[in-house]
Amino acid sequence: MNPIAIRLLNQQLAAPQFSDPAQVVSHMGAIQAQEYRMMRWAVAMRTHKPSARAFKAAFDGGRIIRLHLMRGTWQLVAADDYWWMLDLCAPKAIAVTRGWMSSNRISIPEKEQMDICDILAQTAADKRSITKEDIVQALAERDISMDAHRLSYHIRMAELTGTLCSGDLLPMKATYALAAGKVGPRNAIDRDEALMRFAHNYFQSRQPATLEDFVWWSGLNIGDCRKGIALLGNTIHTVKWKGREFYLTDDCRTRGFRTGKCLLIPPYDEYLIGYKSRDIVLPTEHTHRAHNNSGIFQPIVAHDGIICGNWAPFKDDCHAQFFDGAYDESALQSAWQIYKRYLVQ
């Protein structure tokens, strides 16, 4: 087994199968969206022809939704998956959020949460999409003021209860919209079906991966993760590699990988953040160059799937630093040109 090649293929980082950004998000199940500007490249680079405009069209059209979902962090999900994934993940995410509130000595009574949520919903209903400044103004008109930290928790709880989701895509600033209007009517499924779909989405797009990887990524408890895998039945199997047990789906992609390719990967990308153990693609001695212990991830360069450097997405020219000082200049420049074309297409 060549785990690096298999991951590149199934993550759509080598020989991508999709043209539509929304199809990529659907295939991945969820894509980390911590960095508002670079989440777009995380999706686009997994398409045949990366295009910032195509991503914006899918996002503004409500086919790609951004919200706080798993592990208390931002993700992109496909509209078709929004409601059932919210039903599955929100209880754990709400518990995590309340834990953070407690540690920050913030207490929000139930009545306050409901009252503010109603205001958020009304404000969003009056406009196609709203910014945090619009929310602050709406609260001020009702003689309500609160610090930014407290307000952020109210917005997050409104997301986790299915009231707000992402609005239109702006260059630098997040917006919010009514989920019922942006996504459409709720399409609930039973919990076993949701667990099975969740497991399928994860392993089809991140294989080979371990149970521990799935538990980390999903934010669910290990019992739910085991059940999701078991519900997949004979469509998934295990392979031992270097003493670890990995899961592979029976339709796993194994053909199409070509050597000599350089990838400019955004911070918080699923190529790293989708796994608890990242040593397969990231040499342990260079871990600190890709992310720190506080969960801050950097833009990274991969050559033939191995993380080997950092790059600067917001420079006019290609700026990269490599860990060992050796790299393929032509492959790097080719990757940079793809990125630059994406920005204007």
Side-chain angles (χ1 to χ4, degrees), residues 22-270:
Q23 290 178 317
V24 171
V25 178
S26 179
H27 168 78
M28 299 292 290
I31 290 181
Q32 196 75 17
Q34 211 84 351
E35 222 287 349
Y36 189 63
R37 290 177 293 176
M38 293 307 292
M39 68 180 185
R40 313 164 202 207
W41 175 236
V43 175
M45 71 182 301
R46 290 171 162 87
T47 61
H48 291 146
K49 187 178 180 181
S51 165
R53 290 191 187 123
F55 178 89
K56 179 172 171 55
F59 194 91
D60 290 353
R63 295 189 297 124
I64 296 175
I65 305 296
R66 182 179 187 243
L67 77 161
H68 284 94
L69 186 65
M70 295 141 50
R71 309 183 306 277
T73 61
W74 288 103
Q75 274 87 39
L76 298 173
V77 301
D80 288 344
D81 297 329
Y82 172 85
W83 289 114
W84 70 260
M85 288 185 72
L86 189 64
D87 288 341
L88 180 65
C89 298
K92 185 72 176 289
I94 289 171
V96 169
T97 301
R98 292 196 184 282
W100 288 349
M101 289 166 57
S102 178
S103 66
N104 289 315
R105 298 182 180 179
I106 294 176
S107 176
I108 298 179
E110 183 177 355
K111 184 178 186 309
E112 178 188 330
Q113 181 183 324
M114 293 176 64
D115 289 345
I116 298 299
C117 191
D118 285 345
I119 295 171
L120 297 180
Q122 184 59 55
T123 306
D126 292 341
K127 299 182 179 182
R128 175 182 170 87
S129 61
I130 57 174
T131 64
K132 192 172 286 188
E133 288 76 13
D134 293 324
I135 294 171
V136 170
Q137 181 180 341
L139 293 174
E141 290 169 355
R142 295 165 173 83
D143 294 324
I144 300 171
S145 64
M146 65 180 69
D147 62 60
H149 203 183
R150 189 180 192 87
L151 178 57
S152 70
Y153 281 123
H154 274 295
I155 295 173
R156 184 171 301 197
M157 294 300 285
E159 290 179 279
L160 292 172
T161 54
T163 301
L164 294 184
C165 69
S166 52
D168 289 345
L169 190 73
L170 298 183
M172 300 286 290
K173 189 180 298 185
T175 67
Y176 302 90
L178 271 181
K182 189 73 178 284
V183 183
R186 183 178 290 270
N187 57 339
I189 60 177
D190 68 55
R191 198 165 192 278
D192 280 2
E193 174 70 16
L195 285 172
M196 182 176 70
R197 288 192 192 181
F198 208 50
H200 176 260
N201 286 344
Y202 177 77
F203 287 105
Q204 78 167 351
S205 57
R206 292 162 182 83
Q207 58 190 324
T210 66
L211 170 64
E212 292 75 17
D213 291 330
F214 182 37
V215 172
W216 147 254
W217 177 84
S218 69
L220 300 177
N221 62 52
I222 192 168
D224 281 340
C225 291
R226 289 187 189 278
K227 186 173 185 179
I229 294 170
L231 287 167
L232 291 174
N234 60 9
T235 66
I236 196 168
H237 60 277
T238 58
V239 173
K240 285 282 185 70
W241 186 79
K242 293 190 175 181
R244 283 185 275 183
E245 186 173 81
F246 292 87
Y247 286 93
L248 294 170
T249 63
D250 288 350
D251 58 355
C252 174
R253 296 182 70 202
T254 59
R255 295 179 179 273
F257 172 71
R258 297 290 183 270
T259 60
K261 185 175 181 180
C262 191
L263 292 169
L264 300 178
I265 299 176
Y268 302 99
D269 192 80
E270 292 293 331

Side-chain angles (χ1 to χ4, degrees), residues 242-312:
K242 293 190 175 181
R244 283 185 275 183
E245 186 173 81
F246 292 87
Y247 286 93
L248 294 170
T249 63
D250 288 350
D251 58 355
C252 174
R253 296 182 70 202
T254 59
R255 295 179 179 273
F257 172 71
R258 297 290 183 270
T259 60
K261 185 175 181 180
C262 191
L263 292 169
L264 300 178
I265 299 176
Y268 302 99
D269 192 80
E270 292 293 331
Y271 193 57
L272 281 187
I273 211 168
Y275 309 91
K276 182 177 182 180
S277 297
R278 299 160 186 145
D279 56 295
I280 289 176
V281 301
L282 176 62
T284 304
E285 64 270 24
H286 298 313
T287 296
H288 66 286
R289 301 290 295 272
H291 62 86
N292 64 22
N293 292 331
S294 299
I296 306 300
F297 282 70
Q298 303 299 326
I300 49 175
V301 181
H303 187 260
D304 288 340
I306 297 293
I307 307 304
C308 59
N310 299 106
W311 67 295

